[in-house]
Every structure is written in structure tokens, then in C-alpha cells.
Amino acid sequence: MIDVRDLKKDYIDEGEVTSALRGVSFTINKGDFVSIMGPSGSGKSTLVQILSFLDRPTGGTYTFFGRKTDDLSDIELAHIRNKSIGFVFQSFNLLTRLTSYENVEIPLIYSGVPVASRKKMIEDAIRSVGLEEKIYVETAKLSGGQKQRIAIARALVNDPDIIFADEPTGNLDSVSGAQVMSILDGLNRNGRTVILVTHETNTAEFADRIIRLRDGVLESDTPVKNPHRSREQFAK
Amino acid sequence: MRVSDLVRSSKATLKHGKMRSLLTMLGIVIGISSVIILMSIGASAQDYILNQVQGLGSNLVIIIPGGSNNGRLSSPAQAQGIIITSLKQQDADALARDPSISAVTEEVRGQAAATFQDNSLTVTFDGVPANFFTVRNFGVAKGYPFTADDVASYNHVAVIGSSLADTLFGAGSNPVGQYINVKNIQFRVVGVLEKKGTGAFGIDQDNLVLVPITVAQTQMLGITYFNDIMVQANDAYNIDFVKARVQTILEQDHGITDPNKDDFTIETQQDVLSLLGNITSILTLFLAAIASISLIVGGIGIMNIMLVSVIERTREIGLRKSVGATDGDILQQFLVESVMLTFVGGVIGIALGALVVSAAWLIINNIAAISWTFEFPLSAIMLAVAVSSVTGIAFGLYPARQAAKKSPVEALRYE
């Protein structure tokens, strides 16, 4: 479903060119659970921004569900982000003045779902992360782990094909982190593609496969030997 | 994005920062209420002034000494300190003989102190014939107006204004039969005028002393001319025809052949009404224009706050874009917020304006005892709503564009 060939991204700042990606190629199939790792400055954030259509590459090709993406308009990119992609951020990015319900509703607002049909979708999404008792609570009053679970519910509500999780456990204690990872694991077991960005090997090994970047190039792309066992270990 | 979502989301945002929203709105509230108040005062003043002029009496043609500029009303010659003696008794007599004219009343005017015992007040005294009271609609509340006999016999009788009566004799007392002194002449008070307020040409009719014109001309002023002549048109004739007749008669009487050299000016009540109507309309517009400046200031306040809000909510903009908001969605959201601020501000401003105007109306009518009509022009409300909404769009557009332009990656990274 995702195929990148010789993907490049240059940033130009006051005439000086910085290459964040210098030609990266790989394929991710439907249902994969992939971790992207690399030290800071390796280009992993840039890669994820391009894969999730928040940014455009300056070279190479990105094919998404068999379709080349370089000629898509900003509005088409916004629609793809809305329908096909769910985001989970390190810092949650909830609107804390709103309730859990209202936060999870936001993607539905932009996909034009009628107000009457939203309630069930939102309740289902919040139930799937086990926080139905917090549905009408202002998210400012939730714990970090609960916030991240509401953020996952928001990512799920439009039934996307891919979940992008950027350091989802980075701001959480180990118990909350384990809960979040087990939710992501469950989503993947149900057939969703999950792309996880992390710098923790332990978390990365939750995936079936780890893509490592260094200085904007692919350093390695290796399967995880025993991902299920490592998931259980993490859960302990 | 649905309209209901836009409104709901904007409402939630504005409610969240209640104090800030209220303070931001204040500029618009003050601007709109000033426009409403000034337009209302303008409309009411116009009504009041026009009523006063109509109070002069119906079908009146006014003749003022001195020529005019191209037939347009200029300031009366007396007001410029020039004494023009062109209107005489023979003019009044000639006018009275014309069948298109039903009544002629002349006036001479001066200033002097009116005294009763220790009380004294400088007033305008008006020498008038007996028919003045009916032609000019001057009602007498106590006593009677003086008669044609009084005028012919140079009797020292006076009809005084109600405020003057209160000043000289004390409120509520009846001065009829008492004597007052004006210019060393003792006048017997025979009547007190109904309360009328300041009339046309700025003369306070409640502080007037009306005396027989014969007495005023010979014994008080020593003149033979008039300050003005008023002519009441015969109902059977068109007022413009009567005006033309008056001009012909006076030109014949004064031996003038070139109408541009007329030494008098003729105005009908209609001329005065339309002129005053024009003046007050311009004045009202001028006041509204001044008030609109405060609207612009209010609009800039809104723009300022919206710009701050865009910066504060950079991450929110990033998040909304990451979950599918287009540039247009973000633009709409911020624009609706600023329009909502100005619209609500506009509605509050209208309410506040209405409140102030009604309070002023109550005070003027009950405490100052001036009959002032309460005018709340619909045009002012429509203008206020339109202007406040346009202000919201005009001053909200720039911040909203700034918000929409943000790249999602940079917005999400913003600390």
C-alpha cells in the first residue's frame, strides 16, 4: 500500500540546502506493523511527515494504494489525512478545553459526517480504548495515559487504513505506555497498518519489522525475530 | 465543514475566553451604540425642530428685510448686525388689501429688563398687533390676549411668557392684573402664554413680553419700520402663488423693477422646513460618521486579538489540519469567530443605544418637560448590523488568512 522510491527531502534556509532525506526506498504492505528508528537528525520525522501527507517530498516517488501522489492538491491531501490516516502524537495534541467526545468528533467534522450519525461512531471509538466513563469529561482533567487513549480514539474514529504513532509512549509512565502499546497491537491484529516512530528499541520491537535511518539514508530494514514474545515481555 | 459545526465551534471558543471576548467586543459595542444614539438624537432633533417651525402657524409667508442671495435663504440681516428699514406700515397695508392674503401681522423686537418689585430678567420684548396671537398660534393660558383697541389706543398692556411669569412672580402665582416695568414703562399684565419652549430663530417664547406694536415702535424703540412681516395665505390660494403675490406687491410698493435687487426676502414655512430638514440631516450624517470612527477602532481591536489568538492556537491549527481540515476550513473558522464577535457586539450595542436613548427621552420629557418625540430609526439598526458584520469580515480576514496559511508540520511543531 505504501511504496517509496528514492525519496528525497531538501530544506532550503537562507540559500543553504539541508538534505533531510537523501533517497530512501521501501514498501509497507497492508496490515504491517513497522517501527521507524533512528537518532535525532536521521530524517525519521521528515519521513513520517511525508508518508502521512503532512509534507511533500522534493524528489523521488511516493505511491499510496497504487496511486502516485506528487500531483495531489492540498485539498486532496487533506482528504487523505482525514479518511485514510490516523495520528497519535507524543504530546497528545488534544484540545484540552473540549471534552473527550468533542475531541474525538473533530475528524468527523471535516469528513462531513452528519451530526446525527456521529454519536455512535464516537462512542464506539472511545469504548475501544476503554474510556467510556470519561466520554463527557474535559480532557484537561484526564491523566497522561487517558489523554493518549482519547487521542487514539480520535485517530480511529474515521476508520483509517493506517495509524501513525509518533513516540506515543514518550510522555507516559511505563504502565500507561504498556496500555497504549497493547491498544496499538490490538489494532494491528485487527488488520490495521501501524507505523510507529520511536527511539526505544524495546518499544520498536513490538513491530514485525524495523526500518532504521541514519543521516537521511536507510541504514537497515530488518524483520523482528520474535515480535510476539517481545510484546508479551513489554506487557509484563 | 457544516455551518452548524462552524457556529458551534466558534461559540465554544469564544465562551472559553469569556473575559477576552467581552473586552474585544466592547469596542464594537461602544461604536454601534454611539452610532445608534447619535442617529436617534439626530432624527429626534429633526422632528423637534420641524415641529417648532410648524408651530409658527399654518400657511405662513415670512417677509424679512434685506435681500437674499439668488433666492436662497441667508442669515437674516438683523443677525449680522445690519439694521434694514425696508419694511414699513404701508407694506403691511398693501399686503392686507390683497384677496390672496387673509391676515398680516408685523413684529418689532428689542431687548430690555422686565422688572417686578425686586425681581428682574433681561428679555426679548415683541411689539405685535392683536391678530398676532391667532396667526402665530400663541395660546394664552391665563387671562386674555390684548385687543385691537389696546393697540390702537397705545394701552400699556402686556402678555408674558410662562417662565418669565414664574421668575418675576414666583411659580404657580397668577400675575394677571399685576404691573411690570419694561424700559421705564409700567405694563399691566393681561395674559400669560402657554408653555412653548424655544422656538424658531432661537427666541425663547417662554420668556417673551408681548406688547402692542404701537407702544413698542413709538415709546420703546422710536422706529417706524418692522423687523418682519408675516402673512397668512387665504386657504383658497396656493402658497407659492401667494408668495409670488407678496413679491409683486412689495416690489411695486418699493419701486423695484429688478427682482435681483429686492430689499426683502420672502420665505414660506415650507422653505424653512426643507432647509432645516436638510441641515439636520447633514448634521445627523456627520455625527454618525464621527461615531463610525470608534467602530474602526473597535475593528482594529478585534483584528489584534484574533492575530494573538491565531498564534496561541498554532498547535490547534496544526492538529486540525492533520486530521483533515483544509485551508478553507481553518479560514472559515477564524472568520466566523470574528464575525460572531462583531455581530454579538453589534446586537449588544443596539440594545445599549436603545437603552440610553429611552433613558434620555424619559429625562427630557419628565424632568426637563420638553415634549421630545422618541425616534429610533430602523435605518440606524440596519446600518449598525451591516456595519458590525462587515467590520468582522474586514478585520477578521487577515488573521484568518494567517491561520489558514500555516503549514501543518510547522504548526504541530510550534511550542
Coordinates of all heavy atoms in Angstrom, one line a residue, chain A residues 1-5 25-36 51 62-66 84 160-164 187-196 207-209 211 221 223:
Chain A
M1 N 0.8 -1.2 0.0 CA 0.0 0.0 0.0 C 0.9 1.3 0.0 O 0.5 2.3 -0.6 CB -1.0 0.0 1.2 CG -0.3 0.1 2.5 SD -1.4 -0.2 3.9 CE -2.6 1.0 3.7
I2 N 2.0 1.2 0.7 CA 2.9 2.3 0.7 C 4.2 1.9 -0.1 O 4.8 0.9 0.3 CB 3.3 2.8 2.1 CG1 2.1 3.6 2.7 CG2 4.5 3.7 2.1 CD1 2.4 4.0 4.1
D3 N 4.6 2.7 -1.1 CA 5.8 2.3 -1.8 C 6.5 3.6 -2.1 O 6.0 4.5 -2.7 CB 5.5 1.6 -3.1 CG 6.7 1.2 -3.8 OD1 7.5 0.4 -3.3 OD2 7.0 1.8 -4.9
V4 N 7.8 3.7 -1.5 CA 8.6 4.9 -1.8 C 9.8 4.5 -2.5 O 10.4 3.5 -2.2 CB 8.9 5.7 -0.5 CG1 7.7 6.3 0.1 CG2 9.6 4.9 0.6
R5 N 10.2 5.3 -3.5 CA 11.4 5.0 -4.3 C 12.3 6.3 -4.4 O 11.8 7.4 -4.8 CB 11.0 4.7 -5.8 CG 10.3 3.4 -6.0 CD 11.1 2.2 -5.7 NE 10.3 1.2 -4.9 CZ 10.9 0.4 -4.0 NH1 12.2 0.3 -3.9 NH2 10.1 -0.4 -3.3
S25 N 14.2 4.1 -0.1 CA 13.2 3.3 -0.8 C 12.8 2.1 0.1 O 13.6 1.5 0.8 CB 13.9 2.7 -2.1 OG 14.4 3.7 -2.8
F26 N 11.5 1.8 0.2 CA 11.0 0.7 0.8 C 9.5 0.5 0.5 O 8.9 1.4 -0.1 CB 11.2 0.7 2.4 CG 10.6 1.9 3.0 CD1 9.2 1.9 3.4 CD2 11.4 3.0 3.4 CE1 8.7 3.0 4.0 CE2 10.8 4.1 4.0 CZ 9.5 4.1 4.3
T27 N 8.9 -0.6 0.9 CA 7.5 -0.9 0.7 C 6.9 -1.3 2.0 O 7.5 -2.0 2.8 CB 7.3 -2.0 -0.3 OG1 8.0 -1.6 -1.5 CG2 5.8 -2.2 -0.6
I28 N 5.7 -0.8 2.3 CA 4.9 -1.3 3.5 C 3.6 -1.8 3.0 O 2.9 -1.2 2.2 CB 4.7 -0.1 4.5 CG1 6.1 0.4 5.1 CG2 3.8 -0.6 5.6 CD1 6.0 1.6 6.0
N29 N 3.3 -3.0 3.4 CA 2.1 -3.7 3.0 C 0.9 -3.5 4.0 O 1.2 -3.2 5.1 CB 2.3 -5.2 2.7 CG 3.3 -5.4 1.6 OD1 3.2 -4.8 0.5 ND2 4.4 -6.2 1.9
K30 N -0.2 -3.7 3.5 CA -1.4 -3.6 4.3 C -1.3 -4.6 5.5 O -0.9 -5.8 5.3 CB -2.7 -3.9 3.5 CG -4.0 -3.6 4.2 CD -5.1 -3.6 3.2 CE -6.5 -3.7 3.8 NZ -6.7 -2.8 5.0
G31 N -1.6 -4.1 6.7 CA -1.6 -5.0 7.8 C -0.2 -5.1 8.5 O -0.1 -5.7 9.5
D32 N 0.8 -4.4 7.9 CA 2.1 -4.4 8.6 C 2.1 -3.6 9.9 O 1.3 -2.7 10.0 CB 3.2 -3.8 7.6 CG 3.6 -4.8 6.5 OD1 3.1 -5.9 6.5 OD2 4.4 -4.4 5.7
F33 N 3.1 -4.0 10.7 CA 3.3 -3.2 11.9 C 4.8 -2.8 11.8 O 5.7 -3.7 12.0 CB 3.0 -4.0 13.2 CG 3.0 -3.2 14.5 CD1 2.2 -3.6 15.5 CD2 3.8 -2.0 14.6 CE1 2.1 -2.9 16.7 CE2 3.7 -1.3 15.8 CZ 2.9 -1.7 16.9
V34 N 5.1 -1.6 11.5 CA 6.5 -1.2 11.2 C 7.0 -0.2 12.2 O 6.2 0.8 12.5 CB 6.6 -0.7 9.8 CG1 8.0 -0.2 9.4 CG2 6.1 -1.7 8.7
S35 N 8.2 -0.3 12.7 CA 8.8 0.7 13.5 C 9.8 1.5 12.7 O 10.5 0.8 11.9 CB 9.5 0.1 14.7 OG 8.5 -0.3 15.7
I36 N 9.9 2.8 12.8 CA 10.9 3.5 12.2 C 11.8 4.1 13.3 O 11.3 4.8 14.2 CB 10.3 4.7 11.3 CG1 9.5 4.0 10.2 CG2 11.4 5.6 10.8 CD1 8.8 5.0 9.4
L51 N 5.2 10.5 4.6 CA 4.3 9.3 4.5 C 2.9 9.6 4.9 O 1.9 9.0 4.4 CB 4.9 8.1 5.4 CG 6.2 7.5 4.9 CD1 6.5 6.4 5.8 CD2 6.1 7.1 3.5
Y62 N 6.3 8.7 -4.3 CA 5.6 8.1 -3.2 C 4.3 7.6 -3.8 O 3.5 8.3 -4.3 CB 5.3 9.1 -2.1 CG 4.4 8.7 -1.0 CD1 4.1 7.3 -0.8 CD2 3.9 9.6 -0.1 CE1 3.3 6.9 0.3 CE2 3.2 9.2 1.0 CZ 2.8 7.9 1.2 OH 2.1 7.5 2.2
T63 N 4.1 6.2 -3.8 CA 2.9 5.6 -4.3 C 2.0 5.1 -3.2 O 2.5 4.4 -2.3 CB 3.2 4.5 -5.3 OG1 4.2 4.9 -6.2 CG2 2.0 4.0 -6.0
F64 N 0.8 5.6 -3.1 CA -0.1 5.3 -2.0 C -1.3 4.5 -2.6 O -2.0 5.1 -3.4 CB -0.5 6.6 -1.3 CG -1.3 6.4 -0.1 CD1 -0.8 5.9 1.1 CD2 -2.7 6.7 -0.1 CE1 -1.5 5.8 2.3 CE2 -3.4 6.6 1.1 CZ -2.8 6.1 2.3
F65 N -1.5 3.3 -2.2 CA -2.6 2.4 -2.7 C -2.5 2.4 -4.2 O -3.5 2.6 -4.9 CB -4.0 2.9 -2.2 CG -4.3 2.4 -0.9 CD1 -4.2 3.3 0.2 CD2 -4.8 1.1 -0.7 CE1 -4.5 2.8 1.5 CE2 -5.1 0.7 0.6 CZ -4.9 1.5 1.7
G66 N -1.3 2.3 -4.8 CA -1.1 2.2 -6.2 C -1.2 3.5 -7.0 O -1.1 3.6 -8.2
S84 N -7.9 8.3 5.5 CA -7.1 7.1 5.4 C -6.1 7.1 6.5 O -5.4 6.0 6.7 CB -6.3 7.1 4.1 OG -7.3 7.2 3.0
P160 N -9.5 4.6 9.7 CA -8.4 4.8 8.8 C -7.7 3.5 8.4 O -7.8 2.6 9.1 CB -7.5 5.8 9.5 CG -7.6 5.4 10.9 CD -9.0 5.0 11.1
D161 N -7.0 3.6 7.3 CA -6.2 2.4 6.9 C -4.9 2.3 7.7 O -4.4 1.2 8.0 CB -5.9 2.5 5.4 CG -7.1 2.6 4.5 OD1 -7.9 1.7 4.6 OD2 -7.3 3.6 3.8
I162 N -4.3 3.4 8.0 CA -3.0 3.4 8.6 C -3.1 4.3 9.9 O -3.7 5.4 9.9 CB -1.9 4.0 7.7 CG1 -2.0 3.4 6.3 CG2 -0.5 3.9 8.3 CD1 -1.0 4.1 5.3
I163 N -2.4 3.8 10.9 CA -2.2 4.6 12.1 C -0.7 5.0 12.2 O 0.1 4.1 12.1 CB -2.6 3.9 13.4 CG1 -4.0 3.3 13.4 CG2 -2.3 4.7 14.7 CD1 -5.0 4.3 13.8
F164 N -0.5 6.3 12.3 CA 0.9 6.8 12.5 C 1.0 7.2 14.0 O 0.2 8.0 14.4 CB 1.2 8.1 11.6 CG 1.5 7.7 10.2 CD1 0.5 7.7 9.3 CD2 2.8 7.4 9.8 CE1 0.7 7.4 7.9 CE2 3.0 7.1 8.5 CZ 2.0 7.1 7.5
L187 N -5.0 -3.1 17.5 CA -5.5 -2.5 16.2 C -4.8 -3.2 15.0 O -5.4 -3.5 14.0 CB -5.1 -1.0 16.2 CG -5.9 -0.1 17.1 CD1 -5.4 1.3 17.1 CD2 -7.4 -0.2 16.8
N188 N -3.5 -3.5 15.2 CA -2.8 -4.2 14.2 C -3.3 -5.6 14.0 O -3.5 -6.1 12.8 CB -1.3 -4.2 14.5 CG -0.5 -5.0 13.5 OD1 0.2 -6.0 13.8 ND2 -0.5 -4.6 12.2
R189 N -3.6 -6.3 15.1 CA -4.1 -7.7 15.0 C -5.5 -7.7 14.2 O -5.8 -8.7 13.6 CB -4.3 -8.3 16.4 CG -3.0 -8.8 17.0 CD -3.2 -9.0 18.5 NE -2.0 -9.1 19.2 CZ -1.4 -10.3 19.5 NH1 -2.0 -11.4 19.2 NH2 -0.3 -10.3 20.1
N190 N -6.2 -6.6 14.4 CA -7.5 -6.5 13.6 C -7.3 -6.0 12.2 O -8.3 -5.7 11.5 CB -8.4 -5.5 14.3 CG -8.9 -6.1 15.6 OD1 -9.0 -7.3 15.8 ND2 -9.3 -5.2 16.6
G191 N -6.1 -6.0 11.7 CA -5.8 -5.8 10.3 C -5.4 -4.4 9.9 O -5.2 -4.1 8.7
R192 N -5.2 -3.5 10.9 CA -4.8 -2.1 10.5 C -3.3 -2.0 10.4 O -2.6 -2.7 11.1 CB -5.2 -1.1 11.6 CG -6.6 -0.6 11.3 CD -6.8 0.8 12.0 NE -8.2 1.1 11.8 CZ -9.2 0.6 12.4 NH1 -9.0 -0.3 13.4 NH2 -10.5 0.9 12.2
T193 N -2.8 -1.2 9.5 CA -1.4 -1.0 9.3 C -1.0 0.0 10.4 O -1.7 1.0 10.6 CB -1.1 -0.4 7.9 OG1 -1.8 -1.2 7.0 CG2 0.4 -0.3 7.7
V194 N 0.1 -0.2 11.1 CA 0.5 0.7 12.2 C 2.0 1.1 11.9 O 2.8 0.2 11.6 CB 0.4 0.1 13.6 CG1 1.0 1.0 14.6 CG2 -1.0 -0.3 13.9
I195 N 2.3 2.3 11.8 CA 3.6 2.8 11.6 C 4.0 3.6 12.9 O 3.4 4.6 13.2 CB 3.8 3.6 10.3 CG1 3.4 2.8 9.1 CG2 5.2 4.2 10.2 CD1 3.4 3.5 7.8
L196 N 5.1 3.1 13.5 CA 5.4 3.6 14.8 C 6.8 4.3 14.7 O 7.7 3.7 14.2 CB 5.5 2.4 15.8 CG 6.0 2.6 17.2 CD1 5.0 3.4 18.0 CD2 6.2 1.2 17.9
A207 N 7.0 -4.2 16.8 CA 6.6 -4.3 15.4 C 7.1 -5.6 14.8 O 7.9 -6.3 15.4 CB 7.2 -3.1 14.7
D208 N 6.7 -5.9 13.6 CA 7.2 -7.1 12.9 C 8.5 -6.7 12.2 O 9.2 -7.6 11.8 CB 6.2 -7.5 11.8 CG 4.8 -7.7 12.3 OD1 4.6 -8.4 13.3 OD2 3.8 -7.1 11.8
R209 N 8.7 -5.4 12.1 CA 9.8 -5.0 11.2 C 10.3 -3.6 11.6 O 9.5 -2.8 12.1 CB 9.2 -4.9 9.8 CG 10.1 -4.4 8.7 CD 9.2 -4.4 7.5 NE 9.8 -3.5 6.5 CZ 9.1 -3.1 5.4 NH1 7.8 -3.4 5.3 NH2 9.7 -2.3 4.6
I211 N 12.6 -0.3 10.5 CA 13.4 0.4 9.5 C 14.2 1.4 10.2 O 13.7 2.2 11.0 CB 12.4 1.2 8.5 CG1 11.6 0.2 7.7 CG2 13.2 2.1 7.6 CD1 10.5 0.8 6.8
D221 N 16.7 -2.5 7.2 CA 15.3 -2.7 7.1 C 15.1 -4.2 7.4 O 15.3 -5.1 6.6 CB 14.8 -2.4 5.7 CG 13.2 -2.6 5.6 OD1 12.6 -3.2 6.6 OD2 12.7 -2.2 4.6
P223 N 13.4 -7.6 9.7 CA 12.2 -8.2 10.5 C 12.6 -8.4 11.9 O 13.8 -8.6 12.2 CB 11.9 -9.5 9.8 CG 13.1 -9.9 9.0 CD 13.9 -8.6 8.8

